[in-house]
Amino acid sequence: MKPIIKLNPLLNIYTQTFSPLLWVSFLLAGVMKEGIWHKAEIGSPQGGVISSLLANIYLNYLDTIWEKRFSHLGKLVRYADDLVILCRLKPQALESIRILKSIFGKLELTINTSKSKLVRLWKNEDGFDFLGFHHRKMPYLHKNGVMYRLRSFPSKKAMKKMRLRVKKRRLQEADSNGH
């Protein structure tokens, strides 16, 4: 799930903790894309040098409340503003989504529905991509028969990106060698 973080709540938290001028400068700096400056309109710029730190500070409340009150539903795994909740059963997953929406509401966040989905790992039907890896339950032979384990391997998107980087490097080397 990917939250959309608004600018005003961020400013309130950060200016109470750190130098207001520093945070306002980072949050309002905007971003450069293909040599063109774009004004920051909502929250911290995606991929900005400070955005992971800001997300971690802001979403610390989510981590704390989940661990204290909702960890029985599933394991919350979060890296900056990317997160997954690993639940054993579908009812736990549905309850987790309901609670996550409620917590996000208190933080003035919304779930980015275009980047979020409920994955049916419990039926071994599909997996999910998280932090450049594809995760899914896969069978393995055990002395008691076939068992399932969550396995991880590079996602298709990560592999495509890596192939493009290798191709680009080869072309650069060929150009530098005069080919």
Side-chain angles (χ1 to χ4, degrees):
M1 308 215 173
K2 192 115 171 130
I4 299 172
I5 301 176
K6 295 179 182 177
L7 185 59
N8 288 340
L10 281 176
L11 287 173
N12 291 339
I13 288 175
Y14 305 132
T15 55
Q16 291 170 15
T17 312
F18 301 99
S19 165
L21 185 57
L22 172 69
W23 290 116
V24 170
S25 298
F26 269 116
L27 292 173
L28 299 178
V31 292
M32 292 287 286
K33 286 185 181 176
E34 298 176 14
I36 300 170
W37 177 79
H38 298 273
K39 180 180 176 183
E41 307 226 352
I42 274 189
S44 63
Q46 181 71 24
V49 293
I50 200 76
S51 60
S52 294
L53 173 63
L54 298 179
N56 282 331
I57 293 169
Y58 197 65
L59 292 172
N60 184 61
Y61 172 76
L62 170 64
D63 299 339
T64 303
I65 197 162
W66 190 269
E67 197 58 38
K68 286 182 180 178
R69 297 186 49 203
F70 306 111
S71 61
H72 65 280
L73 293 173
K75 178 69 177 167
L76 172 70
V77 180
R78 187 178 64 78
Y79 182 83
D81 64 345
D82 291 318
L83 67 95
V84 295
I85 301 173
L86 302 169
C87 303
R88 292 196 178 276
L89 304 170
K90 184 176 182 179
Q92 293 171 322
L94 295 172
E95 179 68 3
S96 294
I97 291 169
R98 188 189 67 72
I99 289 167
L100 191 63
K101 285 180 179 178
S102 174
I103 294 170
F104 275 21
K106 287 182 172 89
L107 293 171
E108 296 186 42
L109 301 174
T110 56
I111 293 175
N112 186 338
T113 54
S114 68
K115 295 184 177 184
S116 305
K117 65 180 180 176
L118 178 62
V119 179
R120 299 181 305 235
L121 287 180
W122 56 86
K123 289 191 173 188
N124 308 321
E125 291 179 1
D126 47 22
F128 62 95
D129 290 350
F130 183 60
L131 302 178
F133 287 89
H134 184 74
H135 308 273
R136 68 177 301 122
K137 280 175 75 173
M138 299 192 71
Y140 70 96
L141 286 176
H142 188 268
K143 64 181 178 182
N144 298 333
V146 176
M147 305 290 281
Y148 289 86
R149 172 181 292 156
L150 189 64
R151 306 295 288 183
S152 305
F153 44 91
S155 67
K156 288 179 182 179
K157 183 179 174 183
M159 290 301 293
K160 182 177 180 179
K161 187 175 178 181
M162 183 56 70
R163 281 192 290 276
L164 286 172
R165 288 175 67 187
V166 168
K167 184 177 181 178
K168 184 177 178 181
R169 175 69 66 105
R170 283 186 183 158
L171 290 172
Q172 288 173 341
E173 288 176 3
D175 286 345
S176 67
N177 292 334
H179 293 101

